[in-house]
Amino acid sequence: FLNAQQAGFTHYQITIVEDTLENYVTLFSANNQSSFDWVILGNVLCTVPNAESALGQIHQVLKPGGHVYFSEHCASPPGTTLRKVQDCVNPWWKCVSGGCNCNRDCLDAIERMEEWDTISWELSGLPGFVMGLSRKVGLGV
C-alpha cells in the first residue's frame, strides 16, 4: 500500500493498491463489503484470461457510485480490414506482447456490464484503442 501522503497528495485520501484483484474480492466478499471508489484499467482486459470474469470481480469491489476509468486495446468492428488483420496476427501478437489479445472485444464486455453507465471514445490516430469512464449505479447513488 502507498498512502496519499507518501505519494505527495497531502490533501487527499488515496490508497494505491498493489495486489491481485482476486485477493481483494476474497477479502471484501467475506465481509460483504465494496470498498473502491475508483478502479483504473490500462490495457488490462485485453490481457487477462477472461475479461468478463475480471469485470465481474471489479463490480464486486466497486462501491455504488464508484468509477472505472479505462484505456483498453480493443478489437476493431467485425468485418473490417483491421479486424481481419487483428484476427490473423493475434496468435503471434499474444506471444510477443505479454498475453495481449489484439482482437478481444473489451469495450463490448464493458458496455454489457449491468448496473454500469459507460461513455467511451476512440483515440484518434490509434485504431483499436479506446478510453472511457464507467460508473456503477445502484443503491446509495
Side-chain angles (χ1 to χ4, degrees):
F1 289 103
L2 183 67
N3 70 31
Q5 190 171 16
Q6 291 170 323
F9 296 102
T10 55
H11 299 297
Y12 301 94
Q13 185 176 0
I14 298 172
T15 303
I16 299 170
V17 177
E18 297 182 59
D19 202 344
T20 65
L21 184 57
E22 292 85 359
N23 287 344
Y24 280 92
V25 169
T26 301
L27 175 67
F28 291 107
S29 65
N31 298 324
N32 197 23
Q33 174 182 7
S34 298
S35 63
F36 289 91
D37 296 307
W38 282 88
V39 174
I40 300 171
L41 302 174
N43 293 332
V44 171
L45 298 178
C46 62
T47 306
V48 295
N50 185 317
E52 289 80 6
S53 176
L55 288 168
Q57 292 171 337
I58 290 167
H59 186 79
Q60 285 182 274
V61 298
L62 193 64
K63 290 179 181 177
H67 293 83
V68 177
Y69 169 80
F70 57 91
S71 172
E72 288 291 334
H73 188 195
C74 296
S76 293
T80 62
T81 300
L82 185 53
R83 177 61 176 262
K84 291 174 185 173
V85 171
Q86 288 173 323
D87 289 341
C88 183
V89 302
N90 191 63
W92 171 82
W93 182 257
K94 188 175 176 180
C95 291
V96 300
S97 66
C100 171
N101 292 279
C102 64
N103 65 345
R104 187 172 283 173
D105 290 323
C106 300
L107 182 58
D108 290 341
I110 293 168
E111 290 176 338
R112 284 193 307 269
M113 290 298 296
E114 294 182 17
E115 299 180 36
W116 286 20
D117 288 332
T118 300
I119 58 168
S120 65
W121 54 93
E122 291 185 20
L123 298 176
S124 64
L126 289 173
F129 284 90
V130 297
M131 297 176 73
L133 184 65
S134 296
R135 180 174 163 268
K136 181 178 178 180
V137 297
L139 297 175
V141 178

